[in-house]
Amino acid sequence: MTDRYCVFGHPIGHSKSPAIHAAFAEQTGEAIEYTAIEAPRDDFAGAWRAFAAAGGRGANVTVPFKEAAFRLCDALSDRAKRARAVNTLIRDEAGRTRGDNTDGAGLVADLARQAVPLASARVLVLGAGGAVRGVLAPLLAAEPAGLHVANRTADKACTLAADFADLGQVSGGGFETVTGPFDLVINGTSASLGGELPPLPDDLFAPGATAYDMMYGAEPTVFLRWAEAHGARCLDGLGMLVGQAAESFFLWRGVRPDVTPVLAALRRAL
């Protein structure tokens, strides 16, 4: 019997999730069907209920539905509660909907795979939206020396830092509060989509530092081009995308796929 899964979004035609999960299924021998569904902006819950009623076992959720997915769940993982957003839905044997958030796990796994140390590192995260909220708990669990959240709207960064202060050394403020050097700088803003760069000081990076942009593409983002010019090692978010998908696959199937060949194939296709 083939189990059905999907990814919900609006729009969703660009999604790489069907290709990623098809590759995972082939690699692991799991019998799944995975499709992309464009849900109505005003009725995500209805789209999920219809999919579940037709036998759907689980789903990934992307913009703009992660908060709506959070609200409809019968049970939530601790990391979903922290993120206040859900990117993975699981329908259990009792028909209940459980929600999880694998974004942070995907990021941390990609950093580990690429030998970027987090323990005792000085970390800067740019942005204070949902993408950043979803990764702070896993980053802090790695016990960096300190983590600073910087955002154009300082109050949002400060509030976010306060929400996670029980997990480690975390602070927040406007971009003007950024004073280097940092060992790892993660761009979680949407500035890359518009070809823009947050206002950052030239002495941002410590020797041997890494710059990581959650966005990805065939060419480096503006942030990564700037970071390279300032001496940082540069990584994009394609590995995070595949990593969060692998974590979702594990939650559904109990099997952890090897992301390396899937990531390599996606990179060649960009």
Side-chain angles (χ1 to χ4, degrees), residues 77-215:
S77 70
D78 288 343
R79 55 192 180 185
K81 291 175 184 176
R82 279 283 183 180
R84 297 182 194 166
V86 160
N87 80 330
T88 305
L89 294 171
I90 306 137
R91 186 166 171 265
D92 66 20
E93 298 303 323
R96 299 191 319 155
T97 299
R98 295 189 290 117
D100 208 329
N101 190 305
T102 67
D103 286 331
L107 171 61
V108 170
D110 190 38
L111 291 170
R113 187 167 51 251
Q114 307 212 55
V116 179
L118 282 172
S120 301
R122 296 158 294 179
V123 179
L124 172 65
V125 181
L126 305 173
V132 169
R133 174 173 283 276
V135 304
L136 287 186
L139 286 172
L140 289 166
E143 299 185 345
L147 188 154
H148 186 68
V149 180
N151 189 58
R152 194 173 303 278
T153 305
D155 287 349
K156 289 185 67 175
C158 292
T159 298
L160 194 57
D163 286 347
F164 288 84
D166 60 311
L167 298 183
Q169 294 294 320
V170 56
S171 57
F175 288 128
E176 72 280 359
T177 65
V178 174
T179 55
F182 292 94
D183 303 301
L184 172 63
V185 180
I186 300 171
N187 183 24
T189 73
S190 58
S192 291
L193 293 175
E196 299 174 358
L197 181 71
L200 299 170
D202 288 336
D203 60 352
L204 189 64
F205 299 106
T210 299
Y212 192 104
D213 200 321
M214 290 187 188
M215 302 296 176

Side-chain angles (χ1 to χ4, degrees), residues 1-6 8 45 47-61 72-75 86 88-100 248 251-253:
M1 178 179 175
T2 300
D3 292 327
R4 295 181 59 206
Y5 300 90
C6 75
F8 287 107
W48 163 250
R49 284 193 293 266
F51 181 71
R57 295 289 305 277
N60 287 128
V61 183
L72 67 76
C73 289
D74 301 307
V86 160
T88 305
L89 294 171
I90 306 137
R91 186 166 171 265
D92 66 20
E93 298 303 323
R96 299 191 319 155
T97 299
R98 295 189 290 117
D100 208 329
S248 295
L251 292 173
W252 295 327
R253 311 302 297 178

